[in-house]
Amino acid sequence: MSGLLAGKRLLVTGVITDASIAFSVAKLAQENGAQVVLTGYGRLSLVERIARRLPEPAPVIELDVANAEHLAGLADKVREHVDGLDGVVHSIGFAPQSCLGGGFLDAPWEDVATALHVSTYSYKSLAMAALPLMQPGGAVVGLTFDATKAWPVYDWMGVAKAGLESASRYLAMHLGKQGIRSNLVAAGPLRTIAAKSIPGFEQFEEAWAERAPLGWSLTDQEPAARACLALMSDWFPATTGEIVHVDGGYHAIGA
């Protein structure tokens, strides 16, 4: 077995279609020597069908990150396939429609609470559910969208991502004592299922096409996936609490 992740055992969440970043993470991870276990929510048969498109078959575990019973049983379900975990990928986010598309001032707390639970708090929940399987040197990696700015139409999901970025730093602080790293990848806009659910998403597409110094492909998930793999590899042993921007350099350029 050879590759950047040779011998690593990874749990990858958020595979919905083969256009998702999570699918690209799982595919590249297998190609680089890792064993991969996937989680799915809702239509598991769909996730299982997508999983068959990977280079090697990958088991799929049902996981609703807002369900305490699912989280409590996660470690045992993972043990049915691998004897431990070296990396966990959090590629999960959801906000009700009222929280997106310009409804920031009107979104009710019940909907905002759902967005924060699924998109922010779940990062800590997933890490803690997987912790019994992890050893020093392990890593948790999540996906964000630059939360240092207020973006048109992103609204409460932007707030949720800001919370995610803070949560990753706190997780880095608390899990560092156990030798486990927590980092995020801030990807530029990609035409995923999640993006399609955001009214007015084309505003992001136009901005990136005009301003990213390296240019930006809206349909290439591989750069973001590669960053996730690098952060889970042994090549970043002393990096935690970090946010790696994979956005063509857009974040570094002024208006």
Side-chain angles (χ1 to χ4, degrees), residues 100-208:
L100 299 162
F104 183 85
L105 299 178
D106 301 316
W109 165 243
E110 292 77 11
D111 288 352
V112 172
T114 296
L116 294 176
H117 191 175
V118 177
S119 308
T120 307
Y121 185 77
S122 68
Y123 187 70
K124 189 278 299 186
S125 299
L126 178 64
M128 295 308 295
L131 190 60
L133 299 166
M134 302 185 76
Q135 300 292 327
V140 183
V141 176
L143 289 156
T144 188
F145 187 78
D146 188 1
T148 61
K149 304 173 181 66
W151 299 100
V153 309
Y154 208 45
D155 295 334
W156 284 102
M157 184 55 85
V159 176
K161 290 298 188 183
L164 173 67
E165 293 177 6
S166 182
S168 179
R169 290 188 286 270
Y170 276 96
L171 205 62
M173 178 172 67
H174 287 287
L175 295 187
K177 301 177 183 67
Q178 300 180 48
I180 296 172
R181 297 162 286 145
S182 172
N183 295 289
L184 299 178
V185 172
L190 293 162
R191 287 179 181 163
T192 61
I193 291 291
K196 291 177 181 177
S197 69
I198 302 174
F201 180 76
E202 63 277 359
Q203 295 181 47
F204 294 116
E205 299 181 348
E206 295 166 0
W208 252 261

Side-chain angles (χ1 to χ4, degrees), residues 1-129:
M1 187 182 299
S2 63
L4 184 68
L5 298 174
K8 300 287 188 184
R9 302 151 299 174
L10 307 183
L11 181 69
V12 180
T13 67
V15 173
I16 301 174
T17 71
D18 54 8
S20 62
I21 297 173
F23 179 86
S24 189
V25 168
K27 177 177 180 290
L28 289 173
Q30 288 186 344
E31 291 173 351
N32 280 273
Q35 286 181 275
V36 174
V37 177
L38 306 178
T39 73
Y41 170 64
R43 296 171 60 189
L44 277 190
S45 60
L46 174 61
V47 180
E48 289 168 349
R49 187 163 66 248
I50 297 300
R52 288 195 287 271
R53 299 179 186 175
L54 292 169
E56 300 176 14
V60 178
I61 295 171
E62 183 177 15
L63 177 64
D64 174 0
V65 288
N67 185 314
E69 291 183 3
H70 282 201
L71 290 164
L74 180 64
D76 287 338
K77 288 187 175 182
V78 172
R79 284 193 188 98
E80 295 175 7
H81 306 286
V82 292
D83 58 1
L85 289 174
D86 302 291
V88 177
V89 179
H90 179 280
S91 182
I92 298 170
F94 171 76
Q97 282 298 306
S98 65
C99 296
L100 299 162
F104 183 85
L105 299 178
D106 301 316
W109 165 243
E110 292 77 11
D111 288 352
V112 172
T114 296
L116 294 176
H117 191 175
V118 177
S119 308
T120 307
Y121 185 77
S122 68
Y123 187 70
K124 189 278 299 186
S125 299
L126 178 64
M128 295 308 295

